[in-house]
Amino acid sequence: MATRTDPGLVRGQNEDSVFADAELGLAILADGMGGYQAGEVASSMATELLSSGLARAFKACAAHTADPDTGQLFAERALLEQVTVVNAAIYSAAEGQSRFGGMGTTLVAAVFCDDQMVVAHIGDSRLYRLRGEEFVALTHDHSFLQEQLDCGEISAEEARYSVNRNLVTRAVGVDPEVETEMHWHSVYPGDVYLLCSDGLYDMLDKGEIQNLLERFGANLELAATQLLQLANDNGGDDNISVVVIKVLREFPAAPGRWAKLWSWFK
């Protein structure tokens, strides 16, 4: 995993925050919003509280553990629970201090376990996957612009220049409760994943992002640097953040103690 975040060429401060821990199998990206420094506070709270909360949760129970009744992975349950905690903390901070009033943040988080990826998504930060020659977005923006696109009110070309590009319809910390969109995906060796804020995809089209990931996918640090550089070369209108992830090999969950014992008698 490789991370990069940059204020861009226009904004005076960076309100994005990123976290990645390959050993924990966790990547998080948050794009804050609000008044002076409030967005920075919200995004930092999101990445710090979520990463520490999940680390504690996965220490107590392995991420790949499945509920015997529902089959739900513990990673999914933990993500939902910890996002709720984060939302409450940010909302409380905003309510308690006037200088943080109205602050909130987008959030996209991915947990890798047992050859799978569990994704939590709120707002318009995105998660992409490059698999072979196929490059697709695995998240669907929670934004006014996306609603217009879905309803056919505007075209994709018109959307690139819309004044509504930054109006999100869902964010962490803005309301007492937030709805987290959850998905899980099978993961294969060679996959490349990209978490990014809108400061990247507003400056680069999908083909440009794919081209850079294909060219520099063998060197994640260089890939992340090149993505930020091209976004700034194209204008750098907003903060730019990325987490680039490459799956090197399969990572099936180790069998439990009883499963190992039973295998000896098969």
Side-chain angles (χ1 to χ4, degrees):
M1 297 182 179
T3 65
R4 290 287 187 281
T5 185
D6 188 88
L9 304 179
V10 176
R11 300 294 180 91
Q13 60 189 27
N14 192 348
E15 296 186 327
D16 289 357
S17 183
V18 293
F19 173 90
D21 185 328
E23 185 174 347
L24 190 59
L26 176 62
I28 307 169
L29 185 144
D31 179 355
M33 62 197 76
Y36 179 67
Q37 290 189 332
E40 180 181 352
V41 171
S43 64
S44 295
M45 287 180 68
T47 55
E48 291 171 10
L49 291 175
L50 186 58
S51 60
S52 59
L54 288 173
R56 288 193 300 271
F58 295 153
K59 188 174 182 179
C61 181
H64 67 269
T65 304
D67 185 295
D69 295 322
T70 66
Q72 181 189 45
L73 293 178
F74 180 69
E76 182 177 351
R77 174 182 150 192
L79 266 172
L80 281 168
E81 290 177 348
Q82 293 303 318
V83 170
T84 298
V85 170
V86 170
N87 184 77
I90 295 174
Y91 181 78
S92 177
E95 289 286 290
Q97 301 185 55
S98 59
R99 64 195 179 106
F100 296 152
M103 74 175 177
T105 182
T106 69
L107 180 71
V108 58
V111 175
F112 293 82
C113 61
D114 196 19
D115 292 332
Q116 300 176 83
M117 175 181 64
V118 182
V119 181
H121 171 236
I122 299 167
D124 65 353
S125 293
R126 294 180 182 175
L127 172 64
Y128 290 94
R129 180 187 66 205
L130 176 64
R131 177 175 290 166
E133 297 181 354
E134 181 190 49
F135 184 60
V136 295
L138 299 181
T139 53
H140 196 68
D141 293 349
H142 302 133
S143 68
F144 180 66
L145 183 62
Q146 188 62 59
E147 290 181 357
Q148 289 183 303
L149 284 166
D150 292 344
C151 293
E153 293 180 9
I154 61 173
S155 67
E157 183 62 25
E158 290 171 329
R160 293 191 64 185
Y161 307 100
S162 172
V163 295
N164 298 321
R165 282 187 303 169
N166 303 120
L167 297 178
V168 296
T169 55
R170 201 183 300 184
V172 181
V174 174
D175 295 306
E177 296 181 359
V178 67
E179 182 182 355
T180 305
E181 185 169 338
M182 300 290 300
H183 298 282
W184 71 269
H185 304 270
S186 295
V187 172
Y188 298 99
D191 283 355
V192 176
Y193 295 90
L194 170 69
L195 286 71
C196 67
S197 60
D198 60 349
L200 181 80
Y201 66 76
D202 277 347
M203 294 291 99
L204 280 65
D205 63 35
K206 191 176 174 183
E208 290 176 309
I209 298 174
Q210 178 176 357
N211 179 261
L212 283 175
L213 292 177
E214 288 176 340
R215 288 175 58 195
F216 302 107
N219 185 331
L220 297 192
E221 298 291 342
L222 183 57
T225 298
Q226 290 295 320
L227 286 167
L228 263 63
Q229 182 61 55
L230 186 55
N232 276 325
D233 288 347
N234 288 354
D237 289 348
D238 199 352
N239 306 151
I240 313 156
S241 295
V242 301
V243 181
V244 188
I245 303 157
K246 184 161 188 177
V247 180
L248 300 178
R249 61 187 67 87
E250 294 180 345
F251 50 99
R257 180 164 57 99
W258 294 111
K260 287 181 180 178
L261 182 62
W262 177 249
S263 69
W264 297 345
F265 297 95
K266 294 175 105 177

